[in-house]
Each structure stands twice: as structure tokens, then as C-alpha cells.
Amino acid sequence: MKVNAIRMHQYGGPDVLQFDEIDLAPPAEGEAQIRHTAIGLNYIDTYHRTGLYPMALPAGLGSEAAGVVEAVGPGVTEVKPGDRVVYTGRPADAYSERRNFPAWQCVQIPDGIEDDQAAAILLKGLTAWYLLKRSYRVQAGDSVLLYAAAGGVGSLASQWAKSLGATVIGVVSTAAKAALARANGCAHIIMADDADVAGRVRELTDGEGVAAVYDSVGKDSFIASLDSLRPHGVMVTFGNATGPVDPIAPVELAKRGSLFLTRPILFDFIGTRESLLEAAAELFAVVASGTVKISINQRYALKDAQQAHIDLEARKTTGSTVLVP
Ligand code: NDP
């Protein structure tokens, strides 16, 4: 079968994304063939595109999509044709009209959640889940610092953290994003161009510092983030929007109060079907209860993936973005 898909033949800027026609084989053992109805855009897609996270080329792109199971390969028990499913994972090939994917990583979409909403939240919402419930377990009364608070992960994480009783200090780059972040539950906002983020955090926390920093900005914010923590605080560095963090000496953690440092990645928290379903159930529950609201603030046709990447990297997007095949 022929399908349209984004293909990369080399690493580079958004212009390496080509809209090609490719051959799709029937699903192999353990695979489901999914006809995509909505594809999630994620910042990790830019790391794959640039080669920061290397892949074998030529390659597809995209780590998240929702759609309908059209066929299953031998041995598949987790899903069946006709199921509405959403998935996140590798290999990155979600920027396509349809693809084959391991069935055990597909999650049935509950009634009440549309396909595009599922594609908008699975990767980002599961990330918010492990950040707040595994990397550092937020306690009621904690103050936490959250970067890119009006972005995809940030919009979901700020709402969820507030519901857990945290005081969320959000970092954003514009006044419009500040308004969104406040609406999503951030109690305080620090502007991203503030030269003294750690000083502002101290002011906002009566000099104490925050219990945890959720830092997706990476290289440029790392030291200010460490400086923002209270003694025994947890530094969660989980993204590279400004590039990967430079190596540091462990003594830097000692100097600032016996800090903890973790560099997590989602796929280590959903590596079994049991853990994936547990996490997804928690995510769908906070959506169903209205605790976490989904904002799809941009939509692009799949063939316009280049423009979606340009806008994402130019910091023009807010909330979630969906590509429509
Ligand atoms: P976002 O929608 O949050 O977009 C990225 C945001 O980062 C921008 O909107 C911008 O917000 C901020 N940013 C700060 N500096 C820059 C810069 N120099 N260039 C571009 N953006 C910048 O993306 P996602 O929700 O998809 O992902 C958020 C982050 O989380 C990413 O860094 C991603 O890699 C990471 N992530 C990590 C995972 C993991 O398991 N480790 C899983 C999922 C995501 P502002 O303008 O307000 O500063």
C-alpha cells in the first residue's frame, strides 16, 4: 500500500522535512496498522530532525499519534481493528497517514476524549505525569519552578501541579504566554529574559528556594535552576530547547545544599504495558475530571510540517499542536 509520510534524508533545519509517498507493508507480528487521524507535534521531533538524538537515515519523524486500528499482525491481543487508539514511542514515524506500530504500546482512547485531543496530550501529559509523580513527587504546599509554562508539557504540568497543591512559578517569554500560564494555574510568573531567575525565585519563596525545578530549557537555564532550589531540592532537567546541558562536577550539588539531579526521559517510565496503562489511566482521569484541560492552539496539515517546526522553534506556539493527515 502507498501512503503519504514525512521523510528526512538528512539532518538539518525544517527544510529537510519532505512529504513523500512511501510503501507500507502489512503489520508484522505484534504490530497494529493505524490510520492516523491526528498527529502530536513535540519538541523532541526537532531533536530528531537536527540529529541531536540520532536516527538511522532516511527516517520518518514523529513520536505520537492517534487513529483507528485498520489491521493487526499475528499474535496481537492488546487492540483490534476498529479500536480508536493513541500511542507514543519509537521508531519515530508518526508523521504519516498510516503506519505499523507495536500493539502493546497502543492505548485505547476513552469515550469523551476526541482523537485530536488524545494526540495532543499523550506524550506531553505522560511527561507531566512522571515529572510530578515520579521524578519529584509533588507534595501539597511545595513551590516548584516550571519552564516553558505556556507550552505543550508546561500547560498540562502547571494545571496538574496546582491540583496537587503546589505553588507553581512559571517561566515564559511573552506577556501573552504569561496570561496563559496564569490561567493554567501558575501562581507567579518569571519572564524568561530575566537575568536573575534564581533571585526572583528567592523573593517569591521567602528566601527558601523551590522543592523542585522542572527545566526543559537546558543549557542556558541550568545553573540558574540549580541556584533556585532549596536544600535537598530536586533538579529535573528534561529538555534541551537551548541545547544540551554541559557536564558539571558533582560538588556543584553539594555547594547548593546536597541537591538531587535527574535527567529523565519518558520512555523509561512507560517501558511495560502495565506502566503505560497505569500512567495513561491517571492522565485520562485528570482530563475527565476537568482538572487538566486540553488546549490545541495550533493545527497544521501534515504536509505543512515544515511550518509547524519553524513556529515551534521560534517560540510562537502555545499549548499543544496537532498535525492533520
Ligand atoms: P513546548 O510547546 O514547550 O515548546 C518549547 C518551549 O520552550 C517554547 O515555546 C519556549 O517557551 C521554550 N523555550 C525556551 N527557550 C527556547 C529556545 N531557545 N528555543 C525554543 N524554545 C524555547 O514543547 P513541548 O511541550 O513539546 O516540550 C517541552 C520541553 O519538554 C522540550 O524541551 C522537550 O524536549 C521536553 N520534553 C522532554 C521529555 C522527556 O521525557 N525528557 C518528554 C517531552 C518533552 P517560552 O517562549 O515561553 O520560553
Side-chain angles (χ1 to χ4, degrees):
M1 176 191 293
K2 300 277 187 197
V3 297
N4 290 314
I6 296 289
R7 276 286 167 283
M8 303 169 29
H9 298 268
Q10 59 186 10
Y11 297 126
D15 56 334
V16 302
L17 304 182
Q18 293 185 6
F19 195 53
D20 287 352
E21 192 179 67
I22 59 164
D23 287 313
L24 182 65
E29 181 160 2
E31 288 184 340
Q33 185 166 106
I34 302 151
R35 176 175 53 80
H36 290 153
T37 51
I39 299 154
L41 180 77
N42 289 286
Y43 216 85
I44 192 174
D45 304 345
T46 70
Y47 308 149
H48 287 139
R49 196 201 69 222
T50 60
L52 178 65
Y53 295 176
M55 303 190 293
L57 296 176
L61 200 65
S63 296
E64 172 181 51
V68 179
V69 175
E70 295 285 337
V72 295
V76 168
T77 55
E78 298 88 350
V79 296
K80 59 182 187 313
D83 282 357
R84 284 196 316 131
V85 298
V86 61
Y87 67 83
T88 179
R90 295 173 277 209
D93 214 359
Y95 287 15
S96 56
E97 290 174 338
R98 65 167 75 197
R99 59 99 50 103
N100 299 321
F101 193 71
W104 75 263
Q105 287 175 275
C106 295
V107 179
Q108 272 93 355
I109 302 172
D111 292 345
I113 297 183
E114 302 295 332
D115 291 10
D116 57 352
Q117 293 178 311
I121 59 160
L122 192 75
L123 193 160
K124 299 168 194 72
L126 295 181
T127 300
W129 167 81
Y130 85 69
L131 291 173
L132 304 173
K133 298 207 154 196
R134 294 292 184 274
S135 290
Y136 172 74
R137 288 170 198 258
V138 167
Q139 310 291 314
D142 282 343
S143 291
V144 299
L145 181 65
L146 174 69
Y147 283 81
V153 172
S155 294
L156 301 169
S158 46
Q159 297 177 73
W160 205 335
K162 184 182 180 194
S163 78
L164 296 171
T167 299
V168 183
I169 304 172
V171 182
V172 297
S173 64
T174 67
K177 289 183 176 185
L180 277 180
R182 282 190 195 281
N184 281 332
C186 289
H188 308 288
I189 298 294
I190 299 177
M191 298 312 288
D193 62 1
D194 193 318
D196 186 19
V197 168
R200 289 280 297 127
V201 169
R202 297 278 158 199
E203 283 170 24
L204 293 167
T205 57
D206 296 328
E208 188 188 6
V210 290
V213 178
Y214 299 108
D215 184 342
S216 60
V217 170
K219 186 180 175 72
D220 287 2
S221 53
F222 184 78
I223 296 298
S225 293
L226 285 188
D227 287 339
S228 299
L229 284 160
R230 73 183 184 196
H232 308 288
V234 179
M235 172 66 185
V236 186
T237 172
F238 70 102
N240 321 286
T242 58
V245 174
D246 291 328
I248 66 152
V251 73
E252 296 300 326
L253 306 177
K255 279 191 210 164
R256 292 169 173 83
S258 303
L259 303 180
F260 294 86
L261 168 63
T262 180
R263 199 325 180 175
I265 185 132
L266 169 63
F267 304 109
D268 289 331
F269 296 83
I270 52 170
T272 63
R273 182 143 184 89
E274 189 184 10
S275 59
L276 170 65
L277 293 183
E278 180 192 343
E282 284 196 50
L283 173 62
F284 293 147
V286 289
V287 170
S289 69
T291 302
V292 171
K293 296 192 171 53
I294 303 167
S295 297
I296 302 176
N297 293 348
Q298 300 76 213
R299 289 175 202 267
Y300 302 81
L302 174 58
K303 66 177 173 48
D304 296 330
Q306 286 191 5
Q307 190 60 48
H309 275 231
I310 290 168
D311 293 346
L312 181 63
E313 292 180 294
R315 305 165 83 157
K316 286 186 181 163
T317 65
T318 57
S320 293
T321 302
V322 164
L323 305 178
V324 184

Coordinates of all heavy atoms in Angstrom, one line a residue, residues 56-145:
A56 N 18.7 6.4 12.3 CA 19.2 5.9 11.0 C 18.5 6.6 9.9 O 17.2 6.6 9.9 CB 19.1 4.4 10.9
L57 N 19.2 7.2 8.9 CA 18.6 7.9 7.8 C 18.6 7.0 6.5 O 19.5 6.2 6.4 CB 19.4 9.2 7.5 CG 19.3 10.2 8.6 CD1 20.2 11.4 8.3 CD2 17.9 10.7 8.9
P58 N 17.6 7.2 5.6 CA 16.4 8.1 5.8 C 15.5 7.6 6.9 O 15.5 6.4 7.2 CB 15.8 8.0 4.4 CG 16.2 6.6 3.8 CD 17.5 6.4 4.4
A59 N 14.8 8.5 7.4 CA 13.9 8.2 8.6 C 12.6 9.0 8.4 O 12.5 10.0 7.7 CB 14.6 8.6 9.8
G60 N 11.6 8.5 9.2 CA 10.4 9.3 9.4 C 10.6 10.2 10.6 O 11.7 10.3 11.1
L61 N 9.5 10.8 11.0 CA 9.6 11.6 12.2 C 8.3 11.6 12.9 O 7.2 11.2 12.4 CB 9.8 13.1 11.7 CG 10.4 14.1 12.7 CD1 11.8 13.7 13.1 CD2 10.4 15.5 12.1
G62 N 8.3 11.9 14.2 CA 7.1 12.0 15.0 C 6.9 10.8 15.9 O 7.1 9.7 15.6
S63 N 6.7 11.2 17.2 CA 6.6 10.2 18.3 C 5.3 10.0 18.9 O 5.2 9.4 20.0 CB 7.6 10.6 19.4 OG 8.9 10.6 18.9
E64 N 4.2 10.5 18.3 CA 2.9 10.5 18.9 C 1.8 10.6 17.9 O 1.9 11.6 17.0 CB 2.8 11.6 19.9 CG 1.5 11.9 20.5 CD 1.5 13.0 21.5 OE1 2.0 14.1 21.1 OE2 1.1 12.9 22.6
A65 N 0.8 9.8 17.9 CA -0.4 10.0 17.0 C -1.6 9.2 17.6 O -1.4 8.3 18.4 CB -0.1 9.5 15.6
A66 N -2.7 9.6 17.0 CA -4.0 8.9 17.3 C -4.6 8.5 16.0 O -4.3 9.0 15.0 CB -4.9 9.8 18.1
G67 N -5.4 7.4 16.1 CA -6.1 7.0 14.9 C -6.9 5.7 15.1 O -7.2 5.4 16.3
V68 N -7.2 5.1 14.0 CA -8.0 3.9 14.1 C -7.2 2.7 13.6 O -6.5 2.7 12.6 CB -9.2 4.0 13.2 CG1 -10.1 2.8 13.2 CG2 -10.1 5.2 13.6
V69 N -7.3 1.6 14.4 CA -6.6 0.3 14.0 C -7.3 -0.2 12.8 O -8.5 -0.5 12.8 CB -6.6 -0.7 15.2 CG1 -6.0 -2.0 14.8 CG2 -5.9 -0.1 16.4
E70 N -6.6 -0.4 11.7 CA -7.2 -1.0 10.5 C -6.9 -2.5 10.4 O -7.6 -3.2 9.7 CB -6.6 -0.2 9.3 CG -6.9 1.3 9.2 CD -8.4 1.5 8.8 OE1 -8.9 0.6 8.1 OE2 -9.0 2.5 9.1
A71 N -5.8 -2.9 10.9 CA -5.4 -4.4 10.8 C -4.4 -4.7 11.9 O -3.8 -3.7 12.5 CB -4.8 -4.6 9.5
V72 N -4.3 -5.9 12.3 CA -3.3 -6.3 13.3 C -2.5 -7.5 12.7 O -3.0 -8.3 11.9 CB -3.9 -6.7 14.6 CG1 -4.5 -5.4 15.3 CG2 -4.9 -7.8 14.5
G73 N -1.2 -7.6 13.1 CA -0.4 -8.7 12.7 C -0.6 -9.9 13.7 O -1.4 -9.9 14.6
P74 N 0.1 -11.0 13.4 CA -0.1 -12.2 14.2 C 0.2 -12.0 15.7 O 1.2 -11.2 16.0 CB 0.9 -13.2 13.6 CG 1.2 -12.7 12.2 CD 1.0 -11.2 12.2
G75 N -0.5 -12.6 16.5 CA -0.2 -12.6 18.0 C -0.7 -11.3 18.7 O -0.4 -11.2 19.9
V76 N -1.3 -10.4 18.0 CA -1.8 -9.2 18.7 C -3.0 -9.4 19.6 O -4.0 -9.9 19.0 CB -2.0 -8.0 17.7 CG1 -2.7 -6.9 18.4 CG2 -0.7 -7.6 17.1
T77 N -2.9 -9.1 20.8 CA -4.1 -9.2 21.7 C -4.6 -7.9 22.3 O -5.7 -7.8 22.8 CB -3.7 -10.2 22.9 OG1 -2.6 -9.6 23.6 CG2 -3.4 -11.6 22.4
E78 N -3.7 -6.9 22.3 CA -4.0 -5.7 23.0 C -5.0 -4.8 22.4 O -5.7 -4.0 23.0 CB -2.7 -4.9 23.2 CG -1.6 -5.6 24.0 CD -0.7 -6.4 23.1 OE1 -1.0 -6.7 21.9 OE2 0.3 -6.9 23.7
V79 N -5.1 -4.8 21.0 CA -6.0 -4.0 20.3 C -6.6 -4.8 19.1 O -6.1 -5.8 18.8 CB -5.3 -2.7 19.7 CG1 -4.8 -1.8 20.8 CG2 -4.2 -3.1 18.7
K80 N -7.7 -4.3 18.6 CA -8.3 -5.0 17.4 C -8.8 -4.0 16.4 O -9.0 -2.7 16.7 CB -9.5 -5.8 17.9 CG -10.6 -5.0 18.6 CD -11.7 -5.9 19.1 CE -12.9 -5.1 19.7 NZ -12.5 -4.0 20.6
P81 N -9.0 -4.4 15.2 CA -9.5 -3.5 14.1 C -10.7 -2.7 14.6 O -11.6 -3.3 15.2 CB -9.7 -4.4 12.9 CG -8.8 -5.5 13.1 CD -8.7 -5.8 14.6
G82 N -10.7 -1.4 14.3 CA -11.8 -0.6 14.7 C -11.6 0.2 16.0 O -12.3 1.2 16.2
D83 N -10.6 -0.2 16.8 CA -10.3 0.5 18.0 C -9.8 1.9 17.7 O -8.9 2.1 16.8 CB -9.3 -0.2 18.8 CG -9.8 -1.4 19.6 OD1 -11.0 -1.7 19.5 OD2 -9.0 -2.1 20.2
R84 N -10.2 2.9 18.5 CA -9.6 4.2 18.5 C -8.4 4.1 19.5 O -8.6 3.8 20.6 CB -10.5 5.3 18.9 CG -11.6 5.6 17.9 CD -12.3 7.0 18.3 NE -12.6 7.1 19.7 CZ -12.3 8.1 20.5 NH1 -11.7 9.2 20.0 NH2 -12.7 8.1 21.7
V85 N -7.2 4.4 19.0 CA -6.0 4.3 19.8 C -5.1 5.5 19.7 O -5.2 6.3 18.7 CB -5.2 3.1 19.5 CG1 -6.0 1.8 19.7 CG2 -4.6 3.1 18.0
V86 N -4.3 5.7 20.7 CA -3.3 6.7 20.7 C -2.0 6.1 21.2 O -2.0 5.1 22.0 CB -3.7 7.9 21.6 CG1 -3.9 7.5 23.0 CG2 -2.7 9.1 21.5
Y87 N -0.8 6.6 20.7 CA 0.4 5.9 21.1 C 1.5 7.0 21.1 O 1.4 8.0 20.5 CB 0.8 4.8 20.2 CG 1.2 5.3 18.8 CD1 2.4 5.8 18.5 CD2 0.2 5.3 17.8 CE1 2.8 6.2 17.2 CE2 0.5 5.8 16.5 CZ 1.8 6.2 16.2 OH 2.1 6.7 15.0
T88 N 2.6 6.7 21.9 CA 3.8 7.4 21.8 C 4.9 6.4 21.9 O 4.8 5.4 22.6 CB 3.9 8.5 23.0 OG1 5.2 9.1 22.8 CG2 3.8 7.9 24.3
G89 N 6.0 6.7 21.2 CA 7.1 5.8 21.2 C 7.9 5.8 19.9 O 7.7 6.6 19.0
R90 N 8.9 4.9 19.9 CA 9.8 4.9 18.8 C 9.6 3.6 18.0 O 9.1 2.6 18.6 CB 11.3 4.9 19.3 CG 11.6 6.2 20.0 CD 12.9 6.2 20.7 NE 12.8 5.6 22.0 CZ 13.6 5.9 23.0 NH1 14.5 6.9 22.9 NH2 13.5 5.3 24.2
P91 N 9.9 3.4 16.7 CA 10.6 4.4 15.9 C 9.7 5.6 15.6 O 8.5 5.5 15.5 CB 11.1 3.7 14.7 CG 10.1 2.5 14.6 CD 9.7 2.2 16.0
A92 N 10.4 6.8 15.4 CA 9.7 8.0 15.1 C 9.2 7.9 13.6 O 9.9 7.9 12.7 CB 10.6 9.2 15.2
D93 N 7.9 7.7 13.5 CA 7.3 7.6 12.2 C 5.8 8.1 12.2 O 5.0 7.7 11.3 CB 7.4 6.1 11.7 CG 7.6 6.0 10.2 OD1 7.6 7.1 9.5 OD2 7.7 4.9 9.7
A94 N 5.5 8.9 13.2 CA 4.1 9.3 13.3 C 3.6 10.3 12.3 O 2.4 10.5 12.1 CB 3.9 9.8 14.7
Y95 N 4.6 11.0 11.6 CA 4.2 12.0 10.6 C 3.8 11.3 9.3 O 4.6 11.4 8.3 CB 5.4 12.9 10.3 CG 5.7 14.0 11.4 CD1 5.3 13.9 12.7 CD2 6.5 15.1 11.0 CE1 5.6 14.9 13.6 CE2 6.9 16.0 11.9 CZ 6.4 15.9 13.2 OH 6.8 16.9 14.1
S96 N 2.7 10.5 9.4 CA 2.4 9.7 8.2 C 0.9 9.5 8.2 O 0.2 9.7 9.3 CB 3.1 8.4 8.3 OG 2.8 7.7 9.5
E97 N 0.3 9.1 7.1 CA -1.1 8.9 7.0 C -1.5 7.6 7.8 O -2.5 7.5 8.4 CB -1.6 8.8 5.6 CG -1.5 10.1 4.9 CD -1.9 9.9 3.4 OE1 -1.7 8.8 2.8 OE2 -2.2 10.9 2.8
R98 N -0.6 6.6 7.7 CA -0.8 5.4 8.4 C 0.6 4.7 8.6 O 1.5 5.0 7.9 CB -1.8 4.5 7.9 CG -1.6 3.9 6.5 CD -2.5 2.7 6.2 NE -3.9 3.2 5.9 CZ -5.0 2.4 5.9 NH1 -4.9 1.2 6.3 NH2 -6.2 2.9 5.6
R99 N 0.7 3.9 9.6 CA 2.0 3.2 9.9 C 1.7 2.0 10.7 O 0.6 1.8 11.3 CB 2.9 4.1 10.6 CG 2.5 4.7 12.0 CD 3.0 4.0 13.2 NE 4.4 3.8 13.2 CZ 5.3 4.5 14.0 NH1 4.9 5.6 14.7 NH2 6.6 4.2 14.0
N100 N 2.7 1.1 10.8 CA 2.6 0.0 11.7 C 3.4 0.3 13.0 O 4.4 1.0 13.0 CB 3.3 -1.3 11.0 CG 2.6 -1.6 9.8 OD1 1.3 -1.6 9.7 ND2 3.3 -2.0 8.7
F101 N 2.9 -0.2 14.1 CA 3.5 0.2 15.4 C 3.2 -1.0 16.4 O 2.2 -1.6 16.3 CB 2.8 1.5 15.9 CG 3.6 2.1 17.1 CD1 4.8 2.7 16.9 CD2 3.0 2.1 18.4 CE1 5.5 3.3 17.9 CE2 3.7 2.6 19.4 CZ 5.0 3.2 19.2
P102 N 4.1 -1.2 17.4 CA 3.9 -2.3 18.3 C 2.6 -2.1 19.1 O 2.3 -1.1 19.7 CB 5.1 -2.1 19.3 CG 6.2 -1.5 18.5 CD 5.4 -0.5 17.5
A103 N 1.8 -3.1 19.0 CA 0.4 -3.1 19.6 C 0.4 -2.8 21.1 O -0.5 -2.2 21.6 CB -0.4 -4.3 19.2
W104 N 1.5 -3.4 21.8 CA 1.4 -3.2 23.2 C 1.6 -1.8 23.7 O 1.3 -1.4 24.8 CB 2.5 -4.1 23.9 CG 4.0 -3.6 23.7 CD1 4.9 -4.0 22.8 CD2 4.6 -2.7 24.6 NE1 6.1 -3.3 23.0 CE2 5.9 -2.5 24.1 CE3 4.2 -1.9 25.7 CZ2 6.8 -1.6 24.7 CZ3 5.1 -1.1 26.3 CH2 6.4 -0.9 25.8
Q105 N 2.1 -0.9 22.7 CA 2.3 0.5 23.1 C 1.1 1.3 22.7 O 1.1 2.6 22.9 CB 3.5 1.0 22.4 CG 4.8 0.5 23.1 CD 6.0 1.0 22.3 OE1 6.4 0.4 21.3 NE2 6.6 2.1 22.7
C106 N 0.0 0.7 22.2 CA -1.2 1.4 21.8 C -2.2 1.5 23.0 O -2.4 0.4 23.6 CB -1.9 0.8 20.6 SG -0.9 0.8 19.1
V107 N -2.8 2.6 23.2 CA -3.7 2.8 24.3 C -5.1 3.1 23.7 O -5.2 4.0 22.9 CB -3.3 3.9 25.2 CG1 -4.2 4.1 26.4 CG2 -1.9 3.7 25.8
Q108 N -6.1 2.4 24.1 CA -7.5 2.7 23.7 C -7.8 4.1 24.2 O -7.6 4.4 25.4 CB -8.5 1.7 24.2 CG -8.7 0.5 23.2 CD -7.8 -0.7 23.6 OE1 -6.9 -0.5 24.5 NE2 -7.9 -1.8 22.9
I109 N -8.4 4.9 23.3 CA -8.9 6.3 23.7 C -10.2 6.2 24.4 O -11.2 5.6 23.8 CB -8.9 7.2 22.5 CG1 -7.6 7.3 21.8 CG2 -9.4 8.6 22.9 CD1 -7.6 8.0 20.4
P110 N -10.4 6.7 25.6 CA -11.7 6.6 26.3 C -12.7 7.4 25.6 O -12.4 8.5 25.0 CB -11.4 7.1 27.7 CG -10.0 7.5 27.8 CD -9.3 7.4 26.4
D111 N -14.0 7.0 25.7 CA -15.1 7.9 25.2 C -15.0 9.2 26.0 O -14.6 9.3 27.1 CB -16.4 7.3 25.6 CG -16.7 6.0 24.8 OD1 -16.0 5.7 23.8 OD2 -17.6 5.2 25.3
G112 N -15.3 10.3 25.2 CA -15.2 11.6 25.9 C -14.0 12.3 25.5 O -13.8 13.5 25.8
I113 N -13.0 11.6 25.0 CA -11.7 12.3 24.5 C -11.7 12.1 23.0 O -11.7 10.9 22.5 CB -10.5 11.7 25.2 CG1 -10.6 12.0 26.7 CG2 -9.2 12.3 24.6 CD1 -9.4 11.5 27.5
E114 N -11.6 13.2 22.3 CA -11.5 13.1 20.8 C -10.1 12.6 20.4 O -9.1 12.8 21.1 CB -11.8 14.5 20.2 CG -13.2 15.0 20.5 CD -14.3 14.2 20.0 OE1 -14.1 13.5 18.9 OE2 -15.4 14.2 20.6
D115 N -10.0 12.1 19.1 CA -8.7 11.7 18.6 C -7.7 12.8 18.7 O -6.5 12.6 19.1 CB -8.8 11.2 17.2 CG -9.6 10.0 17.0 OD1 -10.2 9.5 18.0 OD2 -9.6 9.4 15.9
D116 N -8.0 14.0 18.3 CA -7.0 15.1 18.2 C -6.6 15.5 19.7 O -5.5 15.8 19.9 CB -7.5 16.3 17.4 CG -8.8 16.9 17.9 OD1 -9.5 16.3 18.8 OD2 -9.2 17.9 17.4
Q117 N -7.5 15.4 20.6 CA -7.2 15.7 22.0 C -6.2 14.6 22.5 O -5.2 15.0 23.2 CB -8.4 15.7 22.9 CG -9.4 16.8 22.6 CD -10.6 16.8 23.4 OE1 -11.3 15.7 23.6 NE2 -11.0 17.9 24.0
A118 N -6.4 13.4 22.2 CA -5.5 12.3 22.6 C -4.1 12.5 22.0 O -3.1 12.4 22.8 CB -6.1 11.0 22.2
A119 N -4.1 12.9 20.7 CA -2.8 13.1 20.1 C -2.1 14.3 20.7 O -0.9 14.5 20.6 CB -3.0 13.3 18.6
A120 N -2.9 15.2 21.2 CA -2.3 16.5 21.8 C -1.8 16.3 23.2 O -1.0 17.1 23.7 CB -3.4 17.5 21.9
I121 N -2.2 15.2 23.9 CA -1.8 15.1 25.3 C -1.0 13.8 25.7 O -0.5 13.8 26.8 CB -3.0 15.1 26.2 CG1 -4.0 14.0 26.0 CG2 -3.6 16.5 26.2 CD1 -5.0 13.8 27.1
L122 N -1.0 12.8 24.8 CA -0.4 11.6 25.4 C 1.1 11.8 25.8 O 1.4 11.6 27.0 CB -0.6 10.4 24.5 CG -0.2 9.1 25.2 CD1 -1.3 8.6 26.2 CD2 0.1 7.9 24.2
L123 N 1.9 12.1 24.8 CA 3.3 12.3 25.1 C 3.6 13.4 26.2 O 4.3 13.2 27.2 CB 4.1 12.5 23.9 CG 5.6 12.4 23.9 CD1 6.2 12.2 22.5 CD2 6.3 13.5 24.6
K124 N 2.9 14.5 26.0 CA 3.1 15.6 26.9 C 2.5 15.4 28.3 O 3.1 15.7 29.3 CB 2.5 16.9 26.3 CG 3.2 17.3 24.9 CD 2.3 18.4 24.2 CE 2.7 18.5 22.8 NZ 2.2 17.4 21.9
G125 N 1.3 14.8 28.3 CA 0.7 14.5 29.5 C 1.3 13.4 30.3 O 1.4 13.5 31.6
L126 N 1.8 12.4 29.7 CA 2.6 11.3 30.4 C 3.9 11.9 30.9 O 4.4 11.5 32.0 CB 2.8 10.1 29.5 CG 1.6 9.3 29.0 CD1 2.1 8.2 28.2 CD2 0.8 8.9 30.2
T127 N 4.4 12.9 30.2 CA 5.6 13.6 30.7 C 5.3 14.3 31.9 O 6.0 14.2 33.0 CB 6.2 14.5 29.6 OG1 6.6 13.7 28.5 CG2 7.5 15.2 30.1
A128 N 4.2 15.1 31.9 CA 3.8 15.8 33.1 C 3.6 14.9 34.3 O 4.0 15.1 35.4 CB 2.5 16.6 32.8
W129 N 3.0 13.7 34.0 CA 2.7 12.7 35.0 C 4.0 12.2 35.7 O 4.1 12.3 36.9 CB 2.0 11.5 34.4 CG 1.9 10.3 35.2 CD1 1.1 10.0 36.2 CD2 2.8 9.1 35.1 NE1 1.3 8.8 36.7 CE2 2.4 8.2 36.1 CE3 3.9 8.8 34.3 CZ2 3.1 7.0 36.3 CZ3 4.5 7.6 34.4 CH2 4.1 6.7 35.4
Y130 N 5.0 11.8 34.9 CA 6.2 11.3 35.5 C 7.0 12.4 36.2 O 7.6 12.2 37.2 CB 7.1 10.4 34.6 CG 8.1 11.2 33.7 CD1 9.2 11.8 34.3 CD2 7.9 11.3 32.4 CE1 10.1 12.5 33.5 CE2 8.8 12.0 31.6 CZ 9.9 12.6 32.2 OH 10.8 13.3 31.4
L131 N 7.0 13.6 35.6 CA 7.7 14.7 36.2 C 7.1 15.0 37.7 O 7.9 15.1 38.6 CB 7.5 16.0 35.4 CG 8.2 16.1 34.1 CD1 7.8 17.4 33.3 CD2 9.8 16.0 34.2
L132 N 5.8 15.0 37.8 CA 5.2 15.4 39.0 C 5.0 14.3 40.0 O 4.8 14.5 41.2 CB 3.8 16.1 38.7 CG 3.8 17.3 37.8 CD1 2.4 17.7 37.5 CD2 4.6 18.4 38.4
K133 N 5.0 13.0 39.4 CA 4.7 11.9 40.3 C 5.8 10.9 40.4 O 5.7 9.9 41.2 CB 3.4 11.2 39.7 CG 2.2 12.1 39.7 CD 1.0 11.4 39.8 CE -0.1 12.2 40.4 NZ -1.2 11.4 40.9
R134 N 6.9 11.0 39.7 CA 8.0 10.1 39.7 C 9.3 10.8 39.9 O 10.1 10.5 40.8 CB 8.0 9.2 38.5 CG 6.8 8.3 38.3 CD 6.8 7.2 39.3 NE 5.7 6.2 39.1 CZ 4.5 6.4 39.5 NH1 4.1 7.5 40.2 NH2 3.6 5.4 39.3
S135 N 9.6 11.8 39.1 CA 11.0 12.4 39.2 C 11.1 13.2 40.5 O 12.1 13.1 41.2 CB 11.2 13.4 38.0 OG 11.3 12.6 36.8
Y136 N 10.1 14.0 40.8 CA 10.0 14.6 42.1 C 8.5 14.5 42.4 O 7.7 15.1 41.7 CB 10.5 16.0 42.2 CG 10.1 16.6 43.5 CD1 10.7 16.2 44.7 CD2 9.0 17.5 43.7 CE1 10.3 16.7 45.9 CE2 8.6 17.9 44.9 CZ 9.3 17.5 46.0 OH 8.9 18.0 47.3
R137 N 8.1 13.8 43.5 CA 6.7 13.7 43.8 C 6.2 14.9 44.5 O 6.6 15.2 45.7 CB 6.5 12.5 44.7 CG 6.6 11.2 44.0 CD 6.7 10.0 44.9 NE 7.2 8.8 44.2 CZ 6.5 7.8 43.7 NH1 5.2 7.8 43.8 NH2 7.1 6.8 43.1
V138 N 5.4 15.7 43.8 CA 5.0 17.0 44.4 C 4.1 16.8 45.6 O 3.2 15.9 45.6 CB 4.2 17.8 43.3 CG1 3.4 18.9 43.9 CG2 5.1 18.2 42.2
Q139 N 4.4 17.5 46.6 CA 3.6 17.5 47.9 C 2.8 18.8 48.0 O 3.3 19.8 47.6 CB 4.5 17.4 49.1 CG 5.6 16.4 49.0 CD 5.1 15.0 49.1 OE1 4.2 14.7 50.0 NE2 5.5 14.1 48.2
A140 N 1.6 18.7 48.6 CA 0.9 19.9 48.8 C 1.7 20.9 49.6 O 2.4 20.5 50.6 CB -0.4 19.6 49.6
G141 N 1.7 22.1 49.2 CA 2.5 23.1 49.9 C 3.8 23.4 49.3 O 4.5 24.4 49.6
D142 N 4.3 22.5 48.4 CA 5.6 22.8 47.7 C 5.5 24.0 46.7 O 4.5 24.2 46.1 CB 5.9 21.6 46.8 CG 6.5 20.4 47.6 OD1 6.9 20.6 48.7 OD2 6.5 19.3 47.0
S143 N 6.6 24.6 46.6 CA 6.8 25.6 45.5 C 7.7 24.9 44.5 O 8.7 24.2 44.8 CB 7.5 26.9 45.9 OG 6.6 27.6 46.7
V144 N 7.3 25.0 43.2 CA 8.1 24.4 42.1 C 8.3 25.4 41.0 O 7.4 26.3 40.8 CB 7.5 23.1 41.6 CG1 7.3 22.0 42.6 CG2 6.1 23.3 40.9
L145 N 9.4 25.3 40.3 CA 9.7 26.2 39.2 C 9.5 25.4 37.9 O 10.1 24.3 37.8 CB 11.1 26.7 39.3 CG 11.6 27.7 38.2 CD1 10.8 29.0 38.3 CD2 13.1 28.0 38.4

